[in-house]
């Protein structure tokens, strides 16, 4: 696979003219299954050719799935966290590159729920209900003198004429290329962290299609450049207010990451079973006519299924815990405690460890079970491992283990950010 030159995407994303309105959790699950059935047959070809899923995302928007976390008070379905995770598992089992793209859409909607003014919520929720997508201008390279990548160089400043302008360069911007708005973290004149919801057509904004990883190839998680982009004050959210506020916005981001890995694992296990049943040959000393009668293969498939099921159940339990915490906070007037936030972070860390392990294990074990013929390029089964290896690097599992152990042994609450 050769490196590609950076390309600027000049076109703007389509907005569907007829967007379905999802009303219940069951509607959301049904819509996810319908789209998965449409998306799965083309997943291998899109990966092989790196064909970006513009049409598929328009259909995703038209399905109404983009608005499933919009509050009922604003016309959305406000589905449960467990349902949101299940929707991501279903779509990512069909195509994990395509399925990952909306992760930041829901992440920034969570920030809007926490920080948006009534006017901002009314306006942005209406855009989402109309089928408009939200991307994200991701982390930036570590700035000189900065302790971490969280202390970036992207700036929202006020010109002598009183105009707000945004300047910076961001990387790993999953969803930005396909988005109608690109929320981005920046530092304002007071040194505070803000989130700016930049319209895709804003002058000075460039989305560069330079993503060339060997996995998750069609997420277009490339570069976004802001060159004195004019900003409306009404499009700025006070992100600094979340720094010390307990909540679920960070754990929810992790819930989606774990669901993506679970989807990759389920696709790999399903393809392994199919290949063993339909194509694999038995070993010469096995004494059986079909590979699916080999007792060692049977046992390995059983072990894979156990690990897959365990990861999925822990992921589901995590979503249910989030729902329990959200219901309790709502009953108490909308506030979360520090212990609530810590419980959510620890629970989703446990899920992330298991989904990471099964995604890597299943996508690797596939070839051992299916045999050498499964490695042929025509089958493109290596995409599962490539996708798993690239996506599971999003959050180091070694730090998930540390987070869990430090909480259990020392009572230390996890830090609050999008990676916990």
């Amino acid at each position: 696979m050769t490196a590609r030159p950076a390309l600027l995407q000049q076109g703007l994303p389509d907005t569907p003219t007829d967007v379905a309105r999802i009303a219940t959790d069951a509607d959301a699950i049904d819509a996810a299954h319908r789209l998965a059935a449409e998306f799965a047959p083309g997943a291998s070809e899109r990966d092989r050719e790196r064909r970006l899923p513009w049409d598929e995302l328009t259909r995703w928007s038209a399905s109404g799935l983009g608005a499933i976390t919009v509050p009922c008070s604003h016309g959305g379905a406000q589905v449960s966290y467990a349902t949101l995770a299940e929707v991501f598992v279903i779509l990512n089992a069909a195509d994990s590159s395509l399925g990952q793209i909306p992760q930041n859409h829901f992440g920034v909607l969570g920030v809007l729920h926490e920080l948006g003014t009534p006017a901002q919520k009314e306006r942005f929720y209406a855009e989402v209900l109309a089928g408009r997508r939200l991307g994200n201008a991701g982390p930036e390279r570590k700035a000189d003198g900065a302790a971490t990548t969280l202390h970036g160089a992207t700036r929202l400043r006020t010109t002598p004429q009183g105009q707000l302008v945004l300047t910076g360069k961001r990387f790993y911007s999953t969803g930005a290329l396909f988005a109608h708005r690109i929320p981005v973290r920046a530092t304002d004149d007071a040194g505070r962290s803000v989130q700016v919801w930049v319209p895709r057509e804003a002058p000075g904004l460039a989305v560069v299609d330079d993503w060339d990883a060997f996995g998750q190839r069609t997420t277009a998680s490339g570069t976004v450049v802001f060159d004195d982009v004019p900003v409306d004050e009404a499009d700025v959210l006070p992100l600094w207010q979340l720094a010390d506020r307990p909540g679920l916005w960070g754990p929810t981001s992790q819930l989606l990451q774990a669901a993506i890995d679970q989807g990759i694992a389920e696709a790999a296990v399903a393809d392994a079973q199919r290949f063993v049943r339909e194509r694999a040959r038995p070993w010469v000393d096995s004494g059986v006519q079909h590979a699916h009668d080999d007792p060692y293969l049977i046992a390995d498939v059983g072990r894979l299924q156990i690990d897959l099921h365990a990861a999925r159940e822990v992921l589901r339990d995590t979503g249910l815990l989030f729902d329990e915490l959200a219901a309790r906070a709502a009953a108490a007037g909308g506030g979360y405690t520090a212990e609530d936030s810590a419980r959510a972070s620890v629970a989703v860390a446990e899920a992330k460890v298991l989904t990471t392990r099964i995604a890597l294990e299943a996508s690797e074990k596939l070839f051992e079970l299916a045999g050498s013929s499964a490695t042929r390029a025509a089958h493109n089964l290596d995409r599962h491992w490539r996708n798993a290896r690239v996506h599971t690097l999003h959050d180091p599992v070694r730090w998930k283990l540390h987070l869990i152990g430090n909480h259990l042994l020392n009572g230390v609450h996890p830090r609050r950010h999008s990676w916990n």
Side-chain angles (χ1 to χ4, degrees), residues 12 28 140 207 264 313:
L12 297 176
E140 53 190 3
V207 182
I264 295 172
E313 287 304 303

Side-chain angles (χ1 to χ4, degrees), residues 65-363:
L65 282 175
I68 59 175
T69 61
V70 172
C72 297
S73 58
H74 287 81
Q78 197 173 343
V79 301
S80 68
Y81 288 100
T83 292
L84 178 61
E86 179 67 10
V87 165
F88 264 73
V89 172
I90 293 167
L91 292 175
N92 280 275
D95 182 341
S96 63
S97 285
L98 173 53
Q100 183 190 346
I101 289 168
Q103 68 177 31
N104 290 319
H105 174 95
F106 291 105
V108 296
L109 281 176
V111 175
L112 176 66
H113 178 74
E114 295 287 337
L115 295 176
T117 65
Q120 286 174 325
K121 290 180 179 180
E122 182 177 357
R123 182 161 53 96
F124 293 141
Y125 285 146
E127 291 183 10
V128 170
L129 286 163
R132 293 172 69 82
R133 294 186 295 275
L134 306 170
N136 180 50
E140 53 190 3
R141 308 296 190 207
K142 184 172 172 291
D144 292 341
T148 71
T149 57
L150 291 176
H151 302 85
T154 303
R155 294 288 182 267
L156 178 67
R157 58 185 177 83
T158 306
T159 68
Q161 294 75 33
Q163 170 68 55
L164 287 175
V165 293
L166 182 68
T167 303
K169 186 176 184 180
R170 315 291 289 201
F171 305 90
Y172 302 116
S173 302
T174 302
L177 187 68
F178 312 104
H180 298 87
R181 281 189 184 271
I182 304 176
V184 59
R185 176 193 293 264
T187 303
D188 69 7
D189 289 335
R192 302 171 303 187
S193 182
V194 296
Q195 189 178 76
V196 187
W197 287 42
V198 183
R200 179 68 174 79
E201 66 275 11
L205 168 63
V207 182
V208 184
D209 179 22
D210 56 357
W211 176 247
D212 62 355
F214 62 70
Q216 296 296 89
R217 298 187 66 223
T218 63
T219 60
S221 302
T223 303
V224 179
V225 180
F226 304 94
D227 185 7
D228 283 344
V229 175
V231 171
D232 187 330
E233 187 175 357
D235 291 344
V236 180
L237 273 65
L239 200 58
W240 79 87
Q241 293 181 7
L242 282 182
D244 296 316
R245 182 192 301 179
L248 300 184
W249 66 279
T252 300
S253 175
Q254 286 297 292
L255 184 72
L256 300 184
Q257 303 298 343
I260 292 166
D261 295 333
Q262 182 69 22
I264 295 172
E266 300 212 352
V269 170
D271 274 349
Q273 293 177 6
R274 176 185 57 79
F275 209 95
V276 168
R277 283 193 301 265
E278 298 176 3
R279 292 178 174 270
R281 295 180 298 175
W283 181 240
V284 292
D285 294 330
S286 67
V288 299
Q289 288 188 322
H290 304 288
H292 54 75
D293 292 324
D294 183 324
Y296 295 106
L297 290 185
I298 290 172
D300 281 344
V301 168
R303 279 191 288 269
L304 266 186
Q305 185 61 37
I306 290 169
D307 291 345
L308 184 73
H309 182 65
R312 184 159 192 154
E313 287 304 303
V314 172
L315 179 67
R316 180 176 179 273
D317 285 349
T318 300
L320 293 174
L321 172 64
F322 286 15
D323 291 324
E324 175 190 331
L325 295 174
R328 185 184 306 162
Y336 292 93
T337 67
E339 185 60 31
D340 291 338
S341 186
R343 286 183 65 195
S345 289
V346 171
V348 80
E350 293 176 358
K352 188 68 167 59
V353 169
L354 292 180
T355 59
T356 292
R357 287 178 173 174
I358 186 56
L360 293 170
E361 177 190 7
S363 58

Side-chain angles (χ1 to χ4, degrees), residues 349 352-354 356-357 392 395-402:
K352 188 68 167 59
V353 169
L354 292 180
T356 292
R357 287 178 173 174
T392 55
D395 308 281
V397 168
R398 62 187 180 275
W399 279 99
K400 301 300 180 191
L401 296 170
H402 177 273

